[in-house]
Structures are given as C-alpha cells and as structure tokens.
Amino acid sequence: MKEFAIYTGLRAGLFAICFAVLYFPLRNQLSVFPLLLVALIVSSILSIFVLRAARDRLAGKIDHRAGKMSRRIEQARTAEDD
C-alpha cells in the first residue's frame, strides 16, 4: 500500500524533526531517552493536525479495499447459495 508507506514515512520524518529540534537546545539538561519520549509525544500530537490529509487518504484507501473485499465475499456467498 503506497499510502501506508507515505504516511509511515511522514510520521517517522516528523518524529526525527521533533527530536532534532528538542535535542540541540536540551542535550545538556536531559539524556537521550527522555528526549526520545518527549519527541514521541510531541510528534504524536503534531501528527494529528499536520498529517491529517495523508491519514485521510490512507483511511479512504483502506475503506475502499475493505468495501471491495466485502463485495467479493458477498458475491461468493450468493454464488454458493445458488
């Protein structure tokens, strides 16, 4: 799924940017692990707003594929009953 790869890449990129932005000013005050946790929390919150379009495209693709699969299952069930 192309949309899944794009969305995952965007999430990873957003996390890396958040980590870099937090790392340089806070590297003397916090160790790497707390910085990773803070970057994870910040990137998760930002992704809700920043990545909305990519997430909507992914959800639409998943919904489309689920609909196709449901129709195929229903067609097979109907053919089986005949």
Side-chain angles (χ1 to χ4, degrees), residues 5-80:
I6 291 171
Y7 182 70
T8 302
L10 289 171
R11 286 287 304 257
L14 185 61
F15 171 74
I17 291 169
C18 288
F19 179 73
V21 167
L22 292 171
Y23 177 76
F24 291 110
L26 299 176
R27 68 179 171 239
N28 295 329
Q29 290 132 357
L30 293 174
S31 65
V32 174
F33 184 69
L35 282 172
L36 286 170
L37 289 177
V38 172
L40 181 66
I41 292 168
V42 170
S43 69
S44 296
I45 292 169
L46 285 176
S47 72
I48 293 170
F49 305 105
V50 175
L51 302 179
R52 177 173 290 156
R55 187 175 51 254
D56 288 344
R57 282 192 302 271
L58 175 61
K61 184 71 170 183
I62 291 171
D63 187 48
H64 176 72
R65 288 182 65 148
K68 279 177 39 178
M69 193 175 298
S70 294
R71 284 189 295 275
R72 273 195 244 150
I73 290 171
E74 190 59 37
Q75 287 174 350
R77 185 178 300 142
T78 304
E80 192 175 277

